[in-house]
Amino acid sequence: MTLSKMGLKNVIGVELIESLPLVSRANPHNLPFFDRAFDVAFTGHLMAALYPLRNAKEMERTVRKGGVCVVVVDECGEEEVNEIFRLFRRSRLLSSCDFTLNGRRVARIIMRKKTSD
């Protein structure tokens, strides 16, 4: 809902538990979308995923070349940011920063999918 309010078009949310109309039930390790279907992929649950590497691969698969993958996790240091970034093998790190979101300290990590495979 927040992404739609920010002006993003055609926002599709997926989660293990459906919350219509904005969030459909889907497995984040096997997303039901075509390759390169989106400009942006976002997750706030990567580290809670059963298979974080598989989740990262699915995010990259469904984002177009030059698109962006955004990950929000609990506040962490440079070593942890690099550990998360290494999961995204087809992207390059654009930025990371810590900030407060709803009273909770978190880290935002932004990666751009490489234009060549």
Side-chain angles (χ1 to χ4, degrees), residues 2 11 17 26 34 58-59 82 89-91 95 103 108 116:
T2 300
V11 174
I17 299 171
F34 292 113
E58 279 297 278
M59 289 177 70
N82 287 330
R89 297 177 179 168
R90 296 167 58 196
S91 299
S95 69
R108 181 195 67 213
S116 61

Side-chain angles (χ1 to χ4, degrees), residues 17-110:
I17 299 171
E18 189 171 65
S19 180
L20 295 175
L22 299 175
V23 179
S24 299
R25 184 174 189 267
N27 180 346
H29 303 101
N30 187 21
L31 294 169
F33 304 109
F34 292 113
D35 294 355
R36 299 181 295 279
F38 302 107
D39 296 323
V40 177
F42 170 87
T43 183
H45 302 289
L46 181 68
M47 300 319 291
L50 189 56
Y51 304 105
L53 177 60
R54 182 70 186 143
N55 194 347
K57 284 181 178 182
E58 279 297 278
M59 289 177 70
E60 286 182 315
R61 181 186 67 77
T62 59
V63 170
R64 68 171 172 78
K65 292 180 181 181
V68 176
C69 294
V70 180
V71 177
V72 173
V73 295
D74 288 334
E75 185 176 32
C76 60
E78 185 177 343
E79 187 175 319
E80 291 89 352
V81 167
N82 287 330
E83 184 179 320
I84 291 166
F85 168 61
R86 282 192 293 274
L87 296 173
F88 292 81
R89 297 177 179 168
R90 296 167 58 196
S91 299
R92 62 183 176 87
L93 182 63
L94 289 181
S95 69
S96 68
C97 69
D98 295 327
F99 66 100
T100 302
L101 178 65
N102 297 326
R104 181 176 142 221
R105 291 293 293 169
V106 296
R108 181 195 67 213
I109 304 163
I110 301 175

